[in-house]
mmCIF file of all heavy atoms in Angstrom:
data_model
loop_
_atom_site.group_PDB
_atom_site.id
_atom_site.type_symbol
_atom_site.label_atom_id
_atom_site.label_comp_id
_atom_site.label_asym_id
_atom_site.label_seq_id
_atom_site.Cartn_x
_atom_site.Cartn_y
_atom_site.Cartn_z
ATOM 1 N N VAL G 15 201.329 -108.331 -42.965
ATOM 2 C CA VAL G 15 201.442 -108.321 -41.542
ATOM 3 C C VAL G 15 201.855 -106.936 -41.079
ATOM 4 O O VAL G 15 202.902 -106.400 -41.299
ATOM 5 C CB VAL G 15 202.298 -109.462 -40.984
ATOM 6 C CG1 VAL G 15 202.308 -109.424 -39.457
ATOM 7 C CG2 VAL G 15 202.023 -110.755 -41.525
ATOM 8 N N TYR G 29 197.455 -108.526 -52.641
ATOM 9 C CA TYR G 29 196.927 -109.628 -53.364
ATOM 10 C C TYR G 29 195.518 -109.308 -54.147
ATOM 11 O O TYR G 29 195.314 -109.557 -55.219
ATOM 12 C CB TYR G 29 196.586 -110.904 -52.372
ATOM 13 C CG TYR G 29 195.833 -111.949 -53.002
ATOM 14 C CD1 TYR G 29 196.496 -112.882 -53.950
ATOM 15 C CD2 TYR G 29 194.583 -112.049 -52.942
ATOM 16 C CE1 TYR G 29 195.847 -113.944 -54.525
ATOM 17 C CE2 TYR G 29 193.742 -113.157 -53.478
ATOM 18 C CZ TYR G 29 194.519 -114.078 -54.301
ATOM 19 O OH TYR G 29 193.794 -115.163 -54.876
ATOM 20 N N ASP G 98 170.065 -125.175 -40.692
ATOM 21 C CA ASP G 98 168.518 -125.106 -40.809
ATOM 22 C C ASP G 98 168.193 -126.219 -41.762
ATOM 23 O O ASP G 98 168.744 -126.723 -42.620
ATOM 24 C CB ASP G 98 168.032 -123.770 -41.365
ATOM 25 C CG ASP G 98 168.410 -123.488 -42.710
ATOM 26 O OD1 ASP G 98 169.269 -124.279 -43.266
ATOM 27 O OD2 ASP G 98 168.105 -122.505 -43.322
ATOM 28 N N SER G 99 166.820 -126.614 -41.562
ATOM 29 C CA SER G 99 166.283 -127.701 -42.356
ATOM 30 C C SER G 99 165.527 -127.057 -43.483
ATOM 31 O O SER G 99 164.648 -126.375 -43.231
ATOM 32 C CB SER G 99 165.345 -128.573 -41.391
ATOM 33 O OG SER G 99 164.718 -129.553 -42.111
ATOM 34 N N LYS G 148 187.071 -130.361 -37.474
ATOM 35 C CA LYS G 148 187.893 -129.310 -37.817
ATOM 36 C C LYS G 148 188.330 -128.537 -36.602
ATOM 37 O O LYS G 148 189.536 -128.047 -36.506
ATOM 38 C CB LYS G 148 187.030 -128.307 -38.749
ATOM 39 C CG LYS G 148 186.685 -128.845 -40.071
ATOM 40 C CD LYS G 148 185.795 -128.087 -40.794
ATOM 41 C CE LYS G 148 185.323 -128.636 -42.104
ATOM 42 N NZ LYS G 148 184.508 -129.804 -41.959
ATOM 43 N N ILE G 150 188.799 -129.894 -33.607
ATOM 44 C CA ILE G 150 189.772 -130.688 -32.948
ATOM 45 C C ILE G 150 191.112 -130.641 -33.659
ATOM 46 O O ILE G 150 192.122 -130.618 -32.944
ATOM 47 C CB ILE G 150 189.215 -132.167 -32.761
ATOM 48 C CG1 ILE G 150 188.068 -132.060 -31.767
ATOM 49 C CG2 ILE G 150 190.283 -133.092 -32.300
ATOM 50 C CD1 ILE G 150 187.199 -133.378 -31.889
#
Side-chain angles (χ1 to χ4, degrees):
V15 181
Y29 177 77
D98 66 351
S99 179
K148 294 169 185 61
I150 292 168

